[in-house]
Amino acid sequence: MSIREWPEGERPREKLLSRGCSALSDAELIAVLLGSGVPGKDAIALGRELLGKSGGLAALLADPGGSVRLRGIGPAKRARLIAALELARRSLAEQLIERPVLANPRDSGDYLRAQLRHLPYEVFGCLFLDNRHKVLAFEELFRGTIDNASVHPREVVRACLRHNASAVILAHNHPSGVAEPSGADRAITQELKDALQLIGVRVLDHLVIGSGAPVSMAAAGLL
């Protein structure tokens, strides 16, 4: 029996519209995005298989256009999954920019995690803030391999001047998933603090993004 033949209240799309997103399982939400299944396998079964082959929802969202290949998941369906994830990221960015001020690491942590956690290579970026700690912009400044990213203080200084920032939150990801700050992380943070102090820009925090919650170097007393 195809999903179209199910009782209306059990169809994922109709259930979402009548009862809200929370009433749907992960596989049912993916089924809504996929739109259809394949012969012998409805969209929900296809969603379950995609979750299973990917290693779970977090892994799927980290790489929606990635290496898992299933019959029935072609370019169009992959494009829908990638677009859904990008809309979520942009929504987080919009919420962050609309906030009057950033008061604590949690305010920026969700956004930075969405930007950096899924990447298979190391990225260093900055949140640029004005003198009231309102977000001006986020910019990815350096990319590295899975092991390290070369961070050049001169380029960070230039970016701060370009955005007319009064303060900055540094951030980078650990593709290994372990968010514990390394000795190199602490060293570059101090180097950047010293360089930015010369132009009157304060380093408020350095967030390390791994598989769990972001680690705040400021909260850990490492800044």
Side-chain angles (χ1 to χ4, degrees):
M1 183 184 293
S2 72
I3 290 178
R4 291 179 183 177
E5 298 175 89
W6 292 11
E8 187 170 328
E10 294 303 315
R11 300 174 201 163
R13 189 180 304 160
E14 286 75 6
K15 189 193 294 189
L16 183 149
L17 293 174
S18 64
R19 296 164 56 187
C21 293
S22 61
L24 276 67
S25 67
D26 293 344
E28 288 174 320
L29 288 169
I30 291 171
V32 173
L33 285 172
L34 296 178
S36 63
V38 294
K41 189 179 298 180
D42 61 43
I44 295 177
L46 199 56
R48 289 195 190 106
E49 187 174 0
L50 188 56
L51 285 168
K53 296 280 188 180
S54 299
L57 183 61
L60 174 62
L61 293 180
D63 190 18
S67 58
V68 175
R69 294 288 181 263
L70 294 177
R71 186 171 66 91
I73 307 291
K77 287 182 170 63
R78 288 186 180 280
R80 287 180 200 146
L81 292 171
I82 293 168
L85 181 58
E86 181 59 25
L87 283 171
R89 288 199 188 103
R90 293 186 186 189
S91 174
L92 283 170
E94 191 174 86
Q95 293 172 42
L96 189 70
I97 289 172
E98 287 177 352
R99 285 178 180 168
V101 295
L102 292 181
N104 58 62
R106 289 191 305 274
D107 291 340
S108 53
D110 287 344
Y111 170 71
L112 291 168
R113 188 168 180 258
Q115 291 292 320
L116 302 176
R117 180 190 173 193
H118 65 289
L119 299 173
Y121 45 82
E122 192 162 326
V123 165
F124 180 94
C126 295
L127 270 176
F128 301 98
L129 313 173
D130 66 14
N131 58 5
R132 295 181 296 118
H133 296 177
K134 189 176 188 306
V135 175
L136 298 170
F138 171 76
E139 188 174 343
E140 178 187 310
L141 294 177
F142 308 104
R143 286 190 181 189
T145 65
I146 197 169
D147 298 313
N148 68 322
S150 297
V151 177
H152 306 288
R154 180 174 58 184
E155 297 305 319
V156 178
V157 168
R158 285 179 177 172
C160 287
L161 293 173
R162 185 167 63 249
H163 291 288
N164 196 28
S166 295
V168 68
I169 294 175
L170 314 174
H172 77 283
N173 65 315
H174 282 179
S176 67
V178 179
E180 185 67 27
S182 67
D185 295 339
R186 292 192 284 271
I188 192 60
T189 301
Q190 186 59 53
E191 191 174 346
L192 289 171
K193 278 184 64 179
D194 293 342
L196 293 173
Q197 188 175 22
L198 296 175
I199 60 168
V201 174
R202 289 167 294 127
V203 175
L204 301 181
D205 204 348
H206 187 164
L207 296 178
V208 184
I209 312 298
S211 57
V215 172
S216 162
M217 291 180 65
L222 300 175
L223 208 59

